[in-house]
Amino acid sequence: MTNGAVIESTFLTNSFYSGTGYRNRRVLTNVTSSYQSQRKTAKMLECVFNLWPESLITQAIIVGITAGFITYHIFKKRPALPPGPRGWPFIGNLREIQKGDPLELFSTWIEKYGPVITVKFGTWKVVILGRIDVVMEALVQKQEAFAGRPQTYSGDAFTAGSKDIVNGQYGPRWKLHRKLASKALRQYMTSDNLPRKISQSLNISTALMLEEHGPIDPLPFISLAVFNILYGMCFDKLCADTKDETFTFLMDSLKGLVENFGSGFLEDFIPLLRYCPTAKFRRQLKYIAALTEHIKKEMEEHKETFVYGQSRDFADAMLAAQKEAIDEEDPALLSQITDTHVVQTMGDVFFAGIDTTRNTLHWCLLVMALNPDIQKKVQEEVDSVIGRDLNVSLSDRSRLPYTEAVLHETMRIRGIAPMGIPHETLYDTSVGGYELPKGTGVMIFHQGLHFDPDQWDNVNEFRPERFLDASGKMAPKPKSWLPFSAGRRVCLGEIIARPDLHLVLAGMMRACSVSLAPGETNDFKPAIPGFACLPRSYKVVVESRS
C-alpha cells in the first residue's frame, strides 16, 4: 500500500466515526492531489538533474546562454507605438469612442497628439494616420509593408477563409487573384457594355420615379438603378421594377448583412463562442450564404454557356482571364485560385459596389434638393451633352466637368467609409518617424484628409468649384482627396465606380428635377455618427424635365 493510500484509509476511518466524512473527504482530496503534484515535480527535477552535464565548462556555457536569452528579452528595445489617448484597462478607448461621434474624437486626438496616433479598441491597438504626407508614406512609398489585412475569425467565416480580394491576406496567391480580376475588369471596360447598361438602368429607374405621385423616398429607385448596372455588368441581366423578386431578395439580404454588422462580433474576442455562436453571428452566416449561393448559381449558368472570345459580361471576362492564366502562370499557384475565389471576387464587385454607389448617389440627390443653384448648373451642363433618351457613353464624361466636381465634393464631405478598411503591417516598418512592429493594425482617417484645413479652404462649405481649374475643366486630383484609397490596396472597383457614379448622376439630372417634400427638413448630417457615413431617410418631389 502506498503512502497516499495509507493516508486516505486512515483519514476516512477517523472521519466516519467523527460524522464529518463528506467535508473531510474534500480536504483529503486536496491533500492527496497536492501530494501527487509534489511527487510529479520531484520526478521532473530528478530528470533534469540527471540530464545536467558534469563538465564545468558545459555548465558555464548553458548558464551563459540562458542568462543572455533572459537579459535580451527583458532589456531589448521594444518599438514604442505612436502617442495617443491613454485608455482604460481591457476596454482601451472604447468608452470614449462609444459616447459620441468617434470621427470628431479622432480629429481632436490628432490635433493634440499629431498626425500619427495610437487608439486602443479594447486590447487591439490601432495606429491611425490623419495627414496626407504620412498616408502617402505608408500606402505609396512603403506600400508592401502596409498591404496586409487584419485576419479575424468572423472575417474568415464570412469570406470562405479570406478568399476574397478585399479581406484576403497579401501574398503570391492574392496578387495573382487581383491580377485576374483587374484583367477581367479591363477587358469588360474595352466594350460598350457598361454605358449601355447605365442607359438601360437610367431609363427604367427614372420612368418609375416619374410614375409616382407626391413625395417619394428616392433610395429604392436609386438602388434599382445601381443594382441593374452591376447586375447587368456582372451577369447580363436586368430587373424591371422595385418589386422584382430577384431585386427584393438580394437587396433585403444585403440590407440585413450591413445592418447586422453593427459594432462587430463577440466571436472575434471570445474564442469559446465559436463553438456556440451568438444569434447575431448565425444571422450573418445566413445572409452571407444567401448572397453567395446566388452568385454560385449565376456562375454555374455562365460556365454552361461560356464561349471563349465572346464576352457578355464581367462573369465571362473573369472566366476568360482564368482560362488564359492557365498557360501563363505557375500551375501550382494557379491551382490555388479556385472557383470559390472567383465567386468571392464577384461578390466583392457586385455587393460592395451596390452599397457604396447607391449611398453616394443618395447623398448626391440630397445635395441637389438642398441646393437648387447647384442643381441648375448641373442640368444646364447635362442638357448640352445627354439626350432625352438618356443614352450615355464614357466619352460624355469629359464634357461634364461640373457634374463630376459635384460628385467629387460629395465624396469629400460625405464619404461613405470615413475610416476605410483596416490595414496591417506585414513586417517591421515605420511611418512618420515612429517604428511599427509586424502585425500592427493601421487605419487611414479619410475624413481627416478630406477636412484638413492645410489642404482645403473653408472645409465645411460644399463648393464643387474647388475641383475645377480656371477654364472650368477638371483640375488635377487634389492629393488629399482619397476616397478610393491608394497603393496595393487601392479599390479594385474604382475603374467601374467613377464612370458609374458620374453618368448616373448626370442622367438623373437630365430626366428629373428634385426638391425636398413640403415640411421636410434635412441638415445634411449623417444618420448615425460613426464608421459608416449614411444619409438619413428623406423624401423628395420629382418632376419630369422632358
Side-chain angles (χ1 to χ4, degrees):
M1 190 178 261
T2 63
N3 291 337
V6 171
I7 293 173
E8 181 178 4
S9 176
T10 305
F11 203 96
L12 285 175
T13 302
N14 293 338
S15 299
F16 177 80
Y17 288 108
S18 64
T20 58
Y22 174 72
R23 184 185 65 222
N24 289 336
R25 188 180 293 111
R26 291 178 60 191
V27 175
L28 172 64
T29 301
N30 292 335
V31 171
T32 306
S33 175
S34 175
Y35 172 78
Q36 292 174 345
S37 176
Q38 290 175 10
R39 289 196 63 193
K40 288 180 181 178
T41 303
K43 286 184 178 179
M44 288 174 62
L45 289 173
E46 183 181 353
C47 215
V48 169
F49 286 129
N50 288 336
L51 293 172
W52 188 253
E54 296 181 2
S55 168
L56 291 177
I57 295 176
T58 305
Q59 292 178 17
I61 292 173
I62 292 174
V63 170
I65 291 174
T66 303
F69 179 81
I70 294 172
T71 303
Y72 170 77
H73 280 274
I74 291 176
F75 295 104
K76 77 172 182 177
K77 182 181 178 183
R78 300 177 186 276
L81 288 176
R86 187 168 184 177
W88 297 79
F90 304 109
I91 65 171
N93 305 116
L94 288 177
R95 185 177 179 183
E96 301 100 301
I97 291 171
Q98 292 175 348
K99 277 184 178 180
D101 186 347
L103 304 181
E104 289 185 4
L105 195 59
F106 296 155
S107 295
T108 301
W109 286 337
I110 286 172
E111 186 176 347
K112 179 178 180 180
Y113 297 105
V116 185
I117 65 171
T118 301
V119 175
K120 304 175 186 72
F121 294 85
T123 57
W124 185 38
K125 296 179 180 179
V126 180
V127 172
I128 295 178
L129 308 182
R131 198 173 64 198
I132 192 60
D133 57 336
V134 293
V135 170
M136 288 294 102
E137 179 187 351
L139 299 188
V140 177
Q141 297 171 27
K142 300 174 180 177
Q143 54 184 287
E144 184 168 303
F146 288 84
R149 287 279 193 240
Q151 301 298 292
T152 64
Y153 177 78
S154 64
D156 282 351
F158 300 153
T159 57
S162 296
K163 290 184 174 65
D164 68 332
I165 290 178
V166 173
N167 297 290
Q169 191 56 282
Y170 184 82
R173 183 174 63 184
W174 181 91
K175 288 189 280 188
L176 176 58
H177 191 187
R178 170 102 184 193
K179 178 181 176 181
L180 295 180
S182 298
K183 183 176 182 178
L185 281 173
R186 288 194 301 270
Q187 288 176 344
Y188 180 80
M189 291 295 290
T190 58
S191 68
D192 64 348
N193 283 338
L194 181 62
R196 187 170 68 253
K197 296 295 189 298
I198 292 175
S199 300
Q200 292 171 337
S201 302
L202 277 169
N203 276 287
I204 291 172
S205 290
T206 54
L208 291 171
M209 289 175 69
L210 293 170
E211 287 176 2
E212 298 290 325
H213 301 289
I216 64 167
D217 177 358
L219 184 58
F221 304 96
I222 295 171
S223 299
L224 180 64
V226 174
F227 177 90
N228 271 335
I229 291 168
L230 286 165
Y231 202 45
M233 183 194 89
C234 289
F235 306 117
D236 197 28
K237 294 180 179 179
L238 294 173
C239 293
D241 58 54
T242 56
K243 297 177 183 178
D244 184 278
E245 288 185 5
T246 299
F247 172 72
T248 55
F249 167 72
L250 291 176
M251 294 307 295
D252 286 347
S253 298
L254 180 59
K255 179 184 178 182
L257 183 149
V258 172
E259 291 179 349
N260 199 57
F261 260 111
S263 56
F265 298 91
L266 291 175
E267 284 76 4
D268 289 329
F269 309 102
I270 306 176
L272 284 176
L273 288 177
R274 299 170 190 178
Y275 301 99
C276 184
T278 60
K280 179 181 179 182
F281 191 86
R282 295 196 303 272
R283 280 197 306 271
Q284 197 73 345
L285 287 175
K286 181 181 176 181
Y287 293 132
I288 293 285
L291 297 171
T292 304
E293 283 302 315
H294 189 85
I295 293 181
K296 283 182 181 178
K297 180 182 175 182
E298 293 285 2
M299 292 305 296
E300 288 301 319
E301 290 180 4
H302 270 69
K303 283 184 179 181
E304 292 175 0
T305 57
F306 172 68
V307 177
Y308 182 73
Q310 298 179 14
S311 182
R312 299 163 292 181
D313 45 38
F314 179 56
D316 277 354
M318 193 71 189
L319 293 173
Q322 191 179 25
K323 182 178 184 301
E324 291 167 5
I326 293 174
D327 299 326
E328 300 173 5
E329 305 289 345
D330 178 0
L333 185 60
L334 187 64
S335 66
Q336 299 180 51
I337 308 299
T338 64
D339 288 345
T340 301
H341 289 86
V342 174
V343 168
Q344 289 293 323
T345 298
M346 297 299 296
D348 281 349
V349 173
F350 185 48
F351 294 115
I354 286 175
D355 204 54
T356 54
T357 304
R358 69 173 181 149
N359 282 305
T360 299
L361 288 170
H362 200 199
W363 277 118
C364 285
L365 219 61
L366 181 57
V367 167
M368 297 300 161
L370 292 173
N371 300 275
D373 54 330
I374 292 177
Q375 182 175 180
K376 184 178 179 181
K377 288 182 181 179
V378 169
Q379 289 172 334
E380 288 174 351
E381 181 177 77
V382 300
D383 286 352
S384 64
V385 177
I386 301 174
R388 292 181 179 180
D389 57 6
L390 301 184
N391 285 331
V392 298
S393 69
L394 296 181
S395 61
D396 292 336
R397 296 188 63 211
S398 62
R399 297 186 291 160
L400 299 168
Y402 185 76
T403 307
E404 187 168 14
V406 169
L407 177 63
H408 281 209
E409 180 72 336
T410 302
M411 288 192 283
R412 179 190 74 84
I413 205 166
R414 290 295 179 264
I416 301 302
M419 294 300 298
I421 301 173
H423 295 246
E424 184 177 84
T425 54
L426 294 176
Y427 44 81
D428 293 353
T429 185
S430 64
V431 65
Y434 296 99
E435 295 182 13
L436 305 185
K438 176 183 177 180
T440 301
V442 178
M443 297 181 79
I444 310 301
F445 187 25
H446 292 272
Q447 180 161 305
L449 304 183
H450 293 168
F451 282 79
D452 186 349
D454 294 332
Q455 301 293 326
W456 311 89
D457 60 331
N458 301 318
V459 294
N460 293 307
E461 179 186 351
F462 191 95
R463 188 160 56 84
E465 289 78 10
R466 67 175 85 241
F467 290 92
L468 302 174
D469 61 20
S471 65
K473 301 296 182 183
M474 286 295 292
K477 182 182 80 68
K479 63 180 182 179
S480 200
W481 186 77
L482 214 65
F484 296 101
S485 195
R488 299 288 172 89
R489 289 289 187 170
V490 67
C491 176
L492 173 67
E494 180 179 2
I495 189 176
I496 297 289
R498 293 184 69 170
D500 186 356
L501 286 163
H502 192 183
L503 294 176
V504 171
L505 177 61
M508 284 190 166
M509 289 298 97
R510 178 63 183 86
C512 310
S513 289
V514 296
S515 58
L516 282 182
E520 187 86 5
T521 58
N522 196 298
D523 57 8
F524 200 59
K525 290 185 178 180
I528 301 173
F531 297 99
C533 182
L534 306 178
R536 292 199 301 271
S537 176
Y538 62 89
K539 290 188 176 182
V540 293
V541 174
V542 181
E543 296 180 359
S544 173
R545 298 189 64 240
S546 341

